[in-house]
């Protein structure tokens, strides 16, 4: 490294002071800077998140056309492995980089050497000049952020030589396609082809291009520097704003606790528009790990896309293109109350969750305490309410500085009344998003029993002209169901797809489909049963419109399927079981087509005219219990229960009264040793047991074994 000259007073970039103190026209001193990383080079510089390994620079005085000393410095990289492209182009080795100085020491030497060279050439504020924007925006600023280094103000403004060249020669090619070699070629400059020192040839050629441009006719050269924003600016966004889709990206995989400042730090070096970070929320109002980011121009957006799978801590972040409509939908708002709340600039926003419904501004201010005052007192609080004015338990608060916000965050999970309160960092976009969601509909709709009548009639009947889909992914939509059914989707009745939600208003994994006929429903079940949807297999079973309507009018789902109403078991209370009609068959004829014939009962045991199974008592009031009707399939997977013919030994030992009743024997394999009589009966709650006592449950195996010994296999009549 070249030894430093005598140290003059340091100087920084201040073009305004320079023009006032120096009467000579033209820009001040330029520091031509070139850098390289251990990975990709050229247009992809910085896209692979590798460390800086080389800096080469030289000072140029544009007004006197003087040139300073050329300097070259290696930078120690944490990951010493060099890519094949970098090793071939630079000729460097891991050993030479291991002996180099770390980045913070190199930056200190850079400032000292540049200040000395500028003083020797006449002094004055200086400005960096680079070949493109990747070196500063994609390498230096992100690496300094990862290593918690504070860059000097010199690195927050610079000239892009490609743009300056394009100003004087606009007809050559786009600025982004220019390189040092192509600029020299277009100007007809002779370069030193014998120079093989990596980085030195590039700096010398850039200096030659600059001197040639200064001799040209254009007077607009080096007058508008590129600026790197030092701080992200928060602010509101209106739904009336028009956002260019070429400036928006979507970041996915963010830690749930990350704030807008964390997202801005991930994109440090790039200029994000004011209020341009919108954290996305899920249906429950919690952050889902995604954010929409709006940049000031399309060039910044293109650089942001190169940070795909860069890391935020230990997590890698995916970056994709997004549209302006998506950003406005998330970040935009129309409420005047929200606009007034967000009109105060440079405020830190915190979100309070879990407030008592009776809490007012005085209660919240008292909870935060005098050590962390809210900006404007009660005016700095925004309570979130339902459309009918009921409180939701959420609120937002403004704080004047980061220190006060940190003091307020120490109250996280503190108690207000009998409730603990959660505090999180928030953003203007999150305020808009939460208010927009609550203004349109509650975040957590609850299902009450009975539900309101369905807006379209459901024709009553026992014909099995519907199918029930069980095991759907929770993210499945109606479009996914139509795609899953394939050709059978053409046989769905208008408004015939019904998604079943649980008590929290979330998808339960079940859906009912109304088909045009029972034959179409059976064909759809046979074709789609256990077909995969998003890496999950879905069970498709025919059912009747009446059974479907029971569910849609207020039923809930259990872990093992649908549960019957809270009626007593026949073996425990025979009189109450009399309301059920006897059924001669266990499996309806249509459903039997789904199973192999060898697994079904002999035809002699099936009634010639099967009647529909009545799973509920006759009174309609029973439908309003918070339960659902059962459909014909068993409460476990059809592959785990076999429908077998009656074993001869069981027929011989069974009472005559039992065998004379219509029914079948079901053998249950794999029953836990701890299972009792009630556990077995609970599985068959929705089915009609033939006898009125426990004699229908007979242990299979050793005859002397008693019922209390709970054999591993049971036969149920």
């Amino acid at each position: 490294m070249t030894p430093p000259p005598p140290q003059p007073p340091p100087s920084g970039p201040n073009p305004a002071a320079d023009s006032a103190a120096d009467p000579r026209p033209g820009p001040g001193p330029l520091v031509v800077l070139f850098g390289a990383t251990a990975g990709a080079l050229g247009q992809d510089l910085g896209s692979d998140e590798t460390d800086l390994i080389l800096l080469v620079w030289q000072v140029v005085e544009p007004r006197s056309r003087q040139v300073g000393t050329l300097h070259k410095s290696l930078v120690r990289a944490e990951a010493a492995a060099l890519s094949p492209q970098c090793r071939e182009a630079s000729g460097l080795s891991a050993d030479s980089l291991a002996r180099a100085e770390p980045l913070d020491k190199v930056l200190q030497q850079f400032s000292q050497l540049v200040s000395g060279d500028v003083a020797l050439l006449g002094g004055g504020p200086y400005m960096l000049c680079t070949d493109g924007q990747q070196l500063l925006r994609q390498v230096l600023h992100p690496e300094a952020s990862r290593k918690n280094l504070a860059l000097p103000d010199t690195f927050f403004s610079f000239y892009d030589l490609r743009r300056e060249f394009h100003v004087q020669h606009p007809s050559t090619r786009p600025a982004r396609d220019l390189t040092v070699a192509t600029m020299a070629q277009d100007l007809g400059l002779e370069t030193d082809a014998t120079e093989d020192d990596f980085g030195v040839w590039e700096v010398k050629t850039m200096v030659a291009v600059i001197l040639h441009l200064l001799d040209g006719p254009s007077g607009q050269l080096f007058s508008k520097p590129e600026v790197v924003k030092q701080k992200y600016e928060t602010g509101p966004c209106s739904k009336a704003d028009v956002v260019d889709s070429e400036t928006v990206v979507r970041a996915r995989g963010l830690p749930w606790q990350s704030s807008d400042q964390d997202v801005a730090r991930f994109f440090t070096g790039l200029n994000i528009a004011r209020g341009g970070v919108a954290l996305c929320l899920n249906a429950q109002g919690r952050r889902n790990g995604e954010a929409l980011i709006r940049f000031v121009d399309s060039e910044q957006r293109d650089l942001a896309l190169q940070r795909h799978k860069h890391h935020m801590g230990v997590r890698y972040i995916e970056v994709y293109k997004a549209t302006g409509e998506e950003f406005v939908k998330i970040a935009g708002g129309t409420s005047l109350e929200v606009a007034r709340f967000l009109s105060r600039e440079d405020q830190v926003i915190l979100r309070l969750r879990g407030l008592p419904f009776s809490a007012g501004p005085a209660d919240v201010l008292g909870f935060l305490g005098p050590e962390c005052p809210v900006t404007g007192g009660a005016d700095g609080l925004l309570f979130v309410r339902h459309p009918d004015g009921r409180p939701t338990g959420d609120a937002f608060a403004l704080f004047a500085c980061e220190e006060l916000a940190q003091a307020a965050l120490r109250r996280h999970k503190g108690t207000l009344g009998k409730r603990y309160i959660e505090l999180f960092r928030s953003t203007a976009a999150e305020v808009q998003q939460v208010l927009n969601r609550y203004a349109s509909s509650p975040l957590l709709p609850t299902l009450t029993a009975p539900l309101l009548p369905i807006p379209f009639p459901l024709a009553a009947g026992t014909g099995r002209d519907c199918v029930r889909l069980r095991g759907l992914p929770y993210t499945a939509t109606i479009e996914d169901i139509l795609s899953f059914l394939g050709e059978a989707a053409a046989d769905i009745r208008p408004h015939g797809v019904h998604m079943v939600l649980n008590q929290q208003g979330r998808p339960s994994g079940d859906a009912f489909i109304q088909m045009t006929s029972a034959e179409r429903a059976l064909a759809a079940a046979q074709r789609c049963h256990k077909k995969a949807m998003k890496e999950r297999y879905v069970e498709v079973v025919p059912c009747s419109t009446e059974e479907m309507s029971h569910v849609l009018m207020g039923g809930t789902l259990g872990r093992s399927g649908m549960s019957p109403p809270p009626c007593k078991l026949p073996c425990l209370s025979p009189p109450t079981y009399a309301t059920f009609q006897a059924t001669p068959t266990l499996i309806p004829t249509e459903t039997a087509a789904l199973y192999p014939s060898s697994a079904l009962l002999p035809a002699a045991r099936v009634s010639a005219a099967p009647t529909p199974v009545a799973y509920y008592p006759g009174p309609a009031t029973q439908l309003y219990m918070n339960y659902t009707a059962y459909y014909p399939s068993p409460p476990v997977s059809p592959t785990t229960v076999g429908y077998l013919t009656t074993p001869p030994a069981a027929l011989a030992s069974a009472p005559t009264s039992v065998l004379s009743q219509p029914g079948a024997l079901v053998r249950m394999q794999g029953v836990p040793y701890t299972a009792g009589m009630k556990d077995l009966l609970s599985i068959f709650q929705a089915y009609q047991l033939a006898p009125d006592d426990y004699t229908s449950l007979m242990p299979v195996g050793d005859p002397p074994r008693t019922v209390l010994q709970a054999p591993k296999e049971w036969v149920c009549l």
Side-chain angles (χ1 to χ4, degrees):
M1 181 181 300
T2 307
Q7 302 295 325
S11 58
N14 191 349
D18 177 45
S19 60
D22 196 338
R24 295 176 295 176
L30 300 176
V31 181
V32 180
L33 182 63
F34 174 84
T37 66
L41 303 175
Q43 296 285 4
D44 297 329
L45 185 68
S47 62
D48 50 6
E49 209 175 3
T50 53
D51 290 343
L52 185 73
I53 61 171
L54 175 69
L55 280 180
V56 184
W57 68 91
Q58 189 174 22
V59 178
V60 178
E61 172 53 61
R63 290 165 291 194
S64 63
R65 306 297 194 267
Q66 293 180 332
V67 178
T69 305
L70 189 144
H71 303 273
K72 179 178 179 180
S73 179
L74 296 180
V75 184
R76 184 193 305 167
E78 293 182 358
L82 299 176
S83 67
Q85 179 186 9
C86 177
R87 189 182 300 108
E88 180 180 359
S90 64
L92 298 174
S93 63
D95 295 336
S96 60
L97 294 178
R99 295 189 297 268
E101 296 288 344
L103 179 60
D104 54 343
K105 297 293 184 63
V106 173
L107 293 178
Q108 292 178 4
Q109 296 173 0
F110 170 83
S111 299
Q112 296 174 0
L113 294 173
V114 168
S115 300
D117 291 345
V118 168
L120 293 176
L121 295 178
Y126 59 88
M127 191 77 67
L128 300 179
C129 181
T130 62
D131 173 30
Q133 305 193 26
Q134 283 83 355
L135 176 58
L136 289 179
R137 295 190 183 274
Q138 297 286 77
V139 178
L140 271 172
H141 282 278
E143 184 172 348
S145 177
R146 293 195 302 267
K147 297 180 178 180
N148 294 320
L149 301 179
L151 290 175
D153 293 342
T154 308
F155 293 93
F156 288 89
S157 57
F158 65 98
Y159 290 115
D160 184 356
L161 183 57
R162 298 181 186 181
R163 288 192 175 183
E164 301 299 330
F165 181 89
H166 194 264
V167 169
Q168 194 172 90
H169 302 274
S171 60
T172 53
R173 65 191 76 192
R176 66 177 60 186
D177 297 334
L178 293 171
T179 63
V180 175
T182 57
M183 287 187 288
Q185 181 180 357
D186 293 340
L187 295 178
L189 299 178
E190 295 183 0
T191 59
D192 186 4
T194 61
E195 181 62 63
D196 59 354
D197 195 355
F198 182 61
V200 175
W201 180 90
E202 286 80 359
V203 171
K204 289 183 176 180
T205 306
M206 291 170 64
V207 171
V209 171
I210 292 173
L211 295 177
H212 190 280
L213 293 178
L214 292 173
D215 294 333
S218 178
Q220 301 298 323
L221 291 175
F222 304 106
S223 59
K224 296 180 180 179
E226 303 289 330
V227 177
V228 180
K229 289 187 176 181
Q230 300 191 34
K231 182 180 179 182
Y232 167 68
E233 300 176 356
T234 60
C237 174
S238 172
K239 286 190 177 295
D241 294 347
V242 178
V243 178
D244 186 5
S245 296
E246 296 299 318
T247 62
V248 183
V249 301
R250 178 185 295 272
R252 182 180 300 168
L254 300 169
W256 66 268
Q257 71 273 21
S258 59
S259 64
D260 56 344
Q261 298 293 338
D262 297 323
V263 176
R265 184 176 181 181
F266 175 79
F267 290 103
T268 184
L270 306 179
N271 293 342
I272 301 176
R274 183 173 181 268
V277 177
L279 299 174
C280 300
L281 307 180
N282 59 17
Q284 287 73 44
R286 301 176 184 271
R287 297 172 185 172
N288 62 3
E290 295 188 6
L292 293 171
I293 300 93
R294 176 188 179 190
F295 296 92
V296 295
D297 54 41
S298 59
E299 186 174 7
Q300 306 287 313
R301 195 279 302 265
D302 293 340
L303 294 176
L305 291 174
Q306 293 185 355
R307 301 197 184 182
H308 179 61
K309 291 196 174 181
H310 283 205
H311 289 77
M312 178 184 291
V314 296
R315 298 176 62 94
Y316 72 85
I317 309 301
E318 301 174 351
V319 183
Y320 304 98
K321 292 182 179 180
T323 64
E325 291 77 8
E326 291 176 329
F327 182 83
V328 173
K329 182 179 179 181
I330 296 298
T334 57
S335 172
L336 294 178
E337 182 183 12
V338 177
R340 287 193 297 268
F341 177 78
L342 298 176
S343 61
R344 300 179 177 88
E345 298 183 359
D346 299 329
Q347 299 290 316
V348 182
I349 305 175
L350 296 185
R351 180 179 179 181
L352 293 83
R353 189 165 61 198
L355 294 171
F357 293 151
S358 59
D363 301 319
V364 176
L365 294 176
F367 167 76
L368 295 173
E371 62 275 6
C372 44
V374 177
T375 302
D379 294 336
L381 296 174
L382 177 64
F383 289 87
V384 183
R385 301 182 182 277
H386 288 290
D388 57 2
R390 293 181 294 111
T392 64
D394 281 26
F396 295 92
L398 296 176
F399 296 90
C401 61
E402 185 68 28
E403 289 73 15
L404 295 178
Q406 288 287 352
L409 287 173
R410 298 190 188 100
R411 297 286 295 159
H412 178 59
K413 291 195 174 182
T415 303
L416 177 58
K418 295 182 179 180
R419 297 179 62 90
Y420 73 88
I421 311 301
E422 298 175 303
L423 283 87
F424 306 95
R425 292 181 178 273
S426 186
T427 66
E430 184 175 355
V431 175
Q432 299 277 25
Q433 193 175 171
V434 171
L435 268 294
N436 291 342
R437 287 174 178 266
Y438 274 110
S440 57
S441 61
L443 285 176
L444 285 174
T446 56
L447 299 179
T448 58
L451 297 178
L452 296 176
I454 299 177
F456 47 88
L458 292 175
T462 57
R464 317 197 74 77
D465 58 350
C466 302
V467 293
R468 184 234 181 178
L469 277 64
R470 179 170 58 185
L472 293 170
Y474 294 140
T475 58
T477 62
I478 294 180
E479 289 76 12
D480 297 329
I481 293 177
L482 297 178
S483 177
F484 170 79
L485 294 176
E487 297 179 357
D491 301 322
I492 299 177
R493 292 184 181 180
H495 306 287
V497 180
H498 310 287
M499 307 291 290
V500 181
L501 305 180
N502 60 18
Q503 289 286 7
Q504 288 73 39
R506 302 172 184 171
S508 64
D510 283 47
F512 287 93
I513 312 295
Q514 287 182 284
M515 310 299 289
T516 55
S517 64
E519 291 76 13
R520 297 295 184 183
L522 182 60
Q526 292 174 331
R527 185 182 301 111
C528 301
H529 184 58
K530 290 200 174 181
K531 182 180 174 182
M533 178 191 294
K534 297 182 179 180
E535 300 181 355
R536 291 178 62 94
Y537 76 86
V538 180
E539 298 177 358
V540 183
V541 183
C543 66
S544 67
T545 306
E546 181 181 4
E547 292 167 346
M548 179 187 67
S549 64
H550 289 177
V551 179
L552 299 180
M553 293 297 291
T556 57
L557 296 174
R559 292 180 59 87
S560 60
M562 296 185 174
S563 302
C567 58
K568 296 181 180 180
L569 291 175
C571 58
L572 302 181
S573 180
T576 62
Y577 189 69
T579 57
F580 287 84
Q581 301 176 2
T583 177
T585 181
L586 181 64
I587 306 178
T589 305
E590 297 86 347
T591 309
L594 297 177
Y595 303 95
S597 58
S598 60
L600 301 178
L601 297 172
R605 296 182 59 86
V606 181
S607 175
T611 58
V613 181
Y615 299 119
Y616 281 85
T621 55
Q622 294 290 336
L623 300 180
Y624 295 106
M625 297 181 181
N626 206 13
Y627 284 78
T628 58
Y630 214 97
Y631 43 83
S633 62
V636 291
S637 174
T639 60
T640 60
V641 174
Y643 295 88
L644 307 175
T645 56
T646 307
L651 289 174
S653 59
T656 305
S657 60
V658 173
L659 298 178
S660 63
Q661 300 185 21
L665 290 178
V666 178
R667 183 175 183 178
M668 304 175 62
Q669 298 178 344
V671 176
Y673 288 104
T674 57
M677 204 71 67
K678 292 184 179 180
D679 299 324
L680 298 176
L681 291 174
S682 64
I683 300 178
F684 296 92
Q685 285 182 12
Y687 297 96
Q688 302 177 37
L689 298 180
D692 293 337
D693 52 33
Y694 288 103
T695 58
S696 62
L697 294 178
M698 297 180 296
V700 176
D702 190 9
R705 185 179 301 193
T706 63
V707 173
L708 297 179
Q709 290 176 303
K712 183 175 177 59
E713 297 182 1
W714 291 85
V715 174
C716 180
L717 283 168

